[in-house]
Structures are given as C-alpha cells and as structure tokens.
Amino acid sequence: MIERSPKQFMRVLFLLAFLLFTATALPHLPTNGGHQFEGALNLGLQIRGLQDEMDQEPSPNEEFYFEQKLDHFDPENHKTWKQRFLVNTSFYQQGGPVFLMLGGEGKVSSKCASGHFVFSQWAEKFGALVICVEHRYYGKSVPTPDTSLQNLKYLTSQQALADFANFRVGIASKYGAEHAKWIAFGGSYSGMLAAWQRMKYPHLFAGAVASSAPVWAKTDYHEYLEVVTRSIGPKCADRLRQATQRIEPMLNTQSGRRALEKIFNACETMEEYIDTVEFVSDINDPICGTVQYNHDNAGHRPFEIEGMCKIIESGPDPLMAWAHLTAVYANHSGSSCVGSRYMSSIRKLHDISPTSPSLASRSWTYQYCHEFGYFQYVKKGAGTPFSPRLDMNYFYKTCRDVFQNGPIEPDTHWTNLYFGSKHPVGTNVFWPNGDVDPWHALGVLRTPAESMPARVMHGTAHCADMYAPSPKDLDVLTEVRREIEVEIAKWVVHED
C-alpha cells in the first residue's frame, strides 16, 4: 500500500496509506473500453479507509484546511498551501488527549475518523479528540500547481513529518489542546511516519502506534513474494508454479500471447517483451492482494487465502484455475480486464494534473523511486511460483520512464541512515506486525527497548490491528489490541 506504477509498486501500502483498503494501482488505458485491475495501492487505500468511494454512511467529521509551509527546510521560501484535515469531536473531553491519524499514500476519507478504525473506540474511552490529516501530494492536499518532476522535489517523508509537526503546533490552540498528549497513529507507510513522528519530534508527540510499518527501505524486496508463497502453502504454490510453467513458453510466441490474452481477458494485445512483464505482474495482483489483507475486518475481498487456494487447486488445469481466480477477483473489484500493455500504464502516470485520477499512483511511485525502493521482484532460486520476468529491470525501467531525468536509483541508504531502519532508537512506539503480511519482513519484529514493544501476530496480515474488533478475530490479535490500549494509557497519563 497503489494507479499504477508497476502493480507491485502499488502493493503498499502500503498498499497502503493509510489503514486498510485505500490503495490501488494505476488504471489501465484499455482499447476495449474497460478498465484493468486497480492494483494493491488503491485496494490498500480503500481497505484502510482512505478512499471516499468506499464511504456509504454519513459521519460526524468536519473538514478543514490548514495553511502549511511548502518547504520547511528553506527559511527563504515563504510559499504556503492548504493541507486538508478531518476532525471528530464526538468523544472529546477538555483536557483529553489528541489522537492524530497520519495520512499516507492516498486520500483521507471521512471513514478515517468515524469508527472504521479501533482507535475511535480508544478515543471514546480516553475522551480524545480525533484528527485525520492528509499527506502532501495526495487527495486534496497538493502544494503545487501540478506534480511535475520539478515540483515533486517537495514530496519527501521528511517534509511530510515537518508538515505534521507544524500542523500539531498550529492547530492545538483551536481546540485548547496546547498541553494535551498527542498520540500519532498510522498503518503501512503512515505507520512508518507515525513512528518517525514520535522519534523525530518527541517533544510534540507522547507516543505512536506504527502498524505494519515497513521501516527498512530496501530496493531489492524479493522477500515480498517469498512471504506470499509461504502464506499460501506448498500445495497452492505448486499449482501456481505449474501454471507459470505453462504460461512462460506461451508468452514467447505470438500465438501463445493471443491465447493468454483471451484466457485472462487482457485489456490489450502484448506486443513487446515489457508487455508480457506487465501481464504477469497483473495476474499476480489477486494473489498478493488476498494474502496481504487476509482475514482483516474490512471485508473488501471476494475470498481469503483458503477460498483463493480452493479455486487455484480445483480442476485438472492449473492455468485455467488461475484464470478463473482472476475472473472472480475482477468481477468483485469491478475490473473488466487484465493489464497487458506497459506504456498504457506509464502514460497514466505521466498525468501531472493535481486532480488526476492517477495522482496517488504518480506520487507514490515517485516516493518509491526516490526514497524507499520496495521493488517486489522475483528472485531466481527463491522458490516462488511466479514468473522470473518480473525482475529488477522492470522497476528501474518504470522509474526511468515515468520520471525522465528523475530518480532512477532509490536512495535507500540515506533513508535508513536518517530514520534507523529496523533498529530504531527512542521511546513510546508500539510496533505490531502480522506474519502473513508480505510487508512484515521490513518491519521491527524484535522489541528494541522496553518502551518500544514489538509484537508479531501469527496468522494476521497487513494492518489487521487497526480495524475495529470482530468476534472472529484471532486471540493474538485481540491480545495485541489490548496491549496497545495499555501502552496508550501510559502515554496519556505520563507526566513530562
């Protein structure tokens, strides 16, 4: 948790931004009038409650805009812009804490502050003011006239953290919260930001909950697909492997490509080698998305891992089983075809309009290419069942083709040096991760210090702890939510 920079880019957070089901990959430019898979980015954003399209119920949130500095690190730059934020005062008791949900790689929707996440229940218990603030260059919070490469230089995690710190100081007086305890929350990329917010600005934030935060910036992120492989189990993986062995030689011939386009309902014909890489990336999406959000409480998938593998393992032909899975997933998500033309995706990401439907994908792709890497490629010999066409060259090419003369080698060394990677130093940060989540391999899995507990929840996936509880929750998930609440209580009552 991602509009589409390679579909993998979208898986993010990170799939997603923000908390569970608000990210999507870049929509394709099909010739048949349909649209391709939205990808993990937007899927992740929707799950995490960041997309307005998911909103069905009215909410008590109020929407406001805060005048923010364009460049916090240039004292001679006095340009400003309007940063969008939402406020829910339903639970607020004067003198209570402020729970600040940090925006990530997508638009913040009204669901953020109105009960979609468990922190709303904690807000009621602690009498907290709930605020959700949008990240620069996402949603309605675009600081510049467009997202040209020249302007995207202001899109960095350091600038975003400075935004949130400046916002916290500037908005506190409006609600009489100058001396309140501010707690930062986030999931996926915004979970990284929440942790770093506490670590870099401890005088402003009393604590942070950093859910599924992949804080280790890593360009060659082959572990993503390796965790997916382990999570689906050997039988399911072997069926995919058999299908891949059929697909690979077919992609090498024109007749084979035409057959695959028909079987998988491709958006366009595959004319170049890079189109075949786009194709295999897209047919991986339903598998990766299902694993990443397995058994969360968002309920936006047609099946969990068990149901997915039941389809994959059914029938005599593993290739047709994969195609059937793709069709079921597409029907549920509203997609009409599978992406199969690389430049169609790239052209979407060339749109620099601040109101472009590909805004989140372009911005997130820039951050991947510039700061974090996260190239989810297939490492030869790693035992994954996916096509080896999905190599590092695909991701480097995407960075080059989207941002001509822009970042082509993510500066992960600096990112890790600046933030500490998987070895953070600080206090009052809670690090929950699920071991089914393909992103957990980049997270803090061992407790760095007594006041920075890390918990790995067996059987849970991306940002699962952020959602409102369900009777079906695993015991470990319920227990970790309880532990987080205990830590929040400590942060709220602790005297500075």
Side-chain angles (χ1 to χ4, degrees):
M1 10 190 10
I2 232 182
E3 311 47 24
R4 175 161 207 89
S5 83
K7 272 324 156 53
Q8 267 85 9
F9 272 148
M10 313 305 141
R11 275 179 207 121
V12 109
L13 226 158
F14 303 74
L15 268 151
L16 345 34
F18 207 96
L19 294 165
L20 300 78
F21 256 150
T22 42
T24 77
L26 175 78
H28 205 67
L29 286 176
T31 56
N32 63 359
H35 66 283
Q36 72 178 42
F37 282 132
E38 293 292 302
L41 170 59
N42 288 332
L43 177 63
L45 292 174
Q46 292 164 357
I47 293 176
R48 297 196 299 273
L50 297 178
Q51 302 286 61
D52 280 340
E53 291 77 4
M54 302 299 295
D55 296 339
Q56 300 295 330
E57 302 295 331
S59 78
N61 301 334
E62 296 180 88
E63 179 179 290
F64 301 97
Y65 287 84
F66 176 79
E67 187 168 3
Q68 189 62 265
K69 295 184 63 176
L70 174 62
D71 189 344
H72 296 277
F73 308 108
D74 181 0
E76 297 183 1
N77 188 330
H78 302 292
K79 293 181 180 180
T80 62
W81 58 283
K82 301 295 185 181
Q83 183 172 28
R84 177 173 170 264
F85 67 100
L86 304 175
V87 180
N88 185 347
T89 60
S90 299
F91 313 120
Y92 188 43
Q93 298 176 14
Q94 197 64 35
V98 180
F99 288 177
L100 183 65
M101 181 67 77
L102 306 183
E105 72 282 21
K107 179 180 180 179
V108 173
S109 87
S110 59
K111 295 183 70 174
C112 172
S114 60
H116 185 66
F117 301 116
V118 66
F119 87 137
S120 292
Q121 296 183 13
W122 296 331
E124 184 173 11
K125 181 169 294 188
F126 290 104
L129 177 67
V130 175
I131 303 177
C132 295
V133 58
E134 209 160 59
H135 191 296
R136 58 169 56 200
Y137 286 97
Y138 293 96
K140 299 178 182 179
S141 300
V142 182
T144 51
D146 59 43
T147 60
S148 61
L149 183 61
Q150 179 181 2
N151 286 329
L152 285 178
K153 67 182 179 181
Y154 299 111
L155 174 56
T156 67
S157 53
Q158 292 97 325
Q159 292 281 8
L161 292 173
D163 284 342
F164 298 143
N166 191 43
F167 172 85
R168 179 255 185 265
V169 172
I171 208 67
S173 60
K174 177 179 175 66
Y175 298 97
E178 299 94 327
H179 305 294
K181 296 298 180 67
W182 286 64
I183 311 298
F185 293 83
S188 199
Y189 169 51
S190 69
M192 298 157 59
L193 296 173
W196 296 339
Q197 201 73 51
R198 164 61 186 175
M199 292 162 59
K200 295 296 184 181
Y201 299 92
H203 57 297
L204 298 179
F205 291 86
V209 180
S211 300
S212 299
V215 291
W216 178 16
K218 190 173 191 288
T219 302
D220 58 331
Y221 188 32
H222 57 86
E223 292 91 345
Y224 184 97
L225 292 173
E226 291 162 23
V227 175
V228 169
T229 302
R230 291 196 299 271
S231 296
I232 64 178
K235 185 177 180 181
C236 192
D238 189 57
R239 286 279 288 190
L240 292 175
R241 188 174 293 107
Q242 293 173 38
T244 296
Q245 290 170 353
R246 291 267 306 282
I247 291 170
E248 279 302 298
M250 294 177 71
L251 289 173
N252 291 330
T253 67
Q254 185 179 70
S255 61
R257 291 192 294 272
R258 296 297 90 84
L260 287 171
E261 290 158 5
K262 183 176 181 180
I263 292 170
F264 282 90
N265 191 29
C267 298
E268 302 175 71
T269 57
M270 293 178 272
E271 302 298 338
E272 301 181 18
Y273 178 83
I274 192 64
D275 296 334
T276 70
V277 185
E278 185 80 358
F279 172 79
V280 298
S281 172
D282 264 46
I283 64 174
N284 289 352
D285 272 356
I287 298 161
C288 296
T290 298
V291 171
Q292 182 161 314
Y293 295 105
N294 185 59
H295 286 296
D296 62 24
N297 293 336
H300 295 300
R301 295 164 315 287
F303 34 63
E304 309 295 349
I305 289 176
E306 299 87 348
M308 177 185 72
C309 286
K310 184 176 181 180
I311 294 174
I312 293 172
E313 295 167 13
S314 64
D317 188 337
L319 172 57
M320 296 308 295
W322 195 338
H324 177 53
L325 170 78
T326 304
V328 172
Y329 198 91
N331 183 64
H332 180 82
S333 65
S335 302
S336 60
C337 55
V338 170
S340 52
R341 186 71 66 82
Y342 171 78
M343 282 309 301
S344 292
S345 294
I346 296 301
R347 282 193 291 270
K348 283 281 189 177
L349 292 178
H350 284 165
D351 189 344
I352 63 174
S353 168
T355 59
S356 167
S358 298
L359 170 65
S361 292
R362 178 174 171 84
S363 296
W364 187 232
T365 302
Y366 178 82
Q367 290 193 265
Y368 268 98
C369 294
H370 186 258
E371 294 187 79
F372 304 122
Y374 300 147
F375 295 177
Q376 298 154 32
Y377 77 107
V378 175
K379 182 179 180 180
K380 293 182 179 179
T384 67
F386 305 106
S387 171
R389 293 169 189 261
L390 196 57
D391 59 13
M392 292 283 285
N393 292 328
Y394 174 63
F395 297 93
Y396 282 121
K397 179 174 173 58
T398 297
C399 292
R400 290 194 302 270
D401 291 344
V402 174
F403 305 107
Q404 294 94 339
N405 302 316
I408 59 173
E409 179 67 46
D411 194 357
T412 56
H413 173 74
W414 167 249
T415 301
N416 291 325
L417 183 66
Y418 186 79
F419 291 116
S421 185
K422 296 176 69 173
H423 308 286
V425 176
T427 60
N428 296 3
V429 179
F430 200 108
W431 308 90
N433 278 281
D435 66 357
V436 174
D437 178 17
W439 290 102
H440 86 275
L442 301 182
V444 177
L445 307 181
R446 296 182 180 180
T447 296
E450 184 177 355
S451 62
M452 299 180 80
R455 298 290 183 269
V456 179
M457 298 170 283
H458 179 63
T460 70
H462 198 58
C463 297
D465 58 283
M466 297 184 71
Y467 295 109
S470 163
K472 297 181 180 180
D473 287 339
L474 295 175
D475 289 344
V476 65
L477 178 55
T478 300
E479 178 57 31
V480 167
R481 285 203 191 98
R482 190 177 298 119
E483 290 184 42
I484 294 173
E485 183 179 328
V486 169
E487 291 300 310
I488 292 173
K490 294 178 184 177
W491 303 337
V492 167
V493 303
H494 183 266
E495 293 296 330
D496 295 325

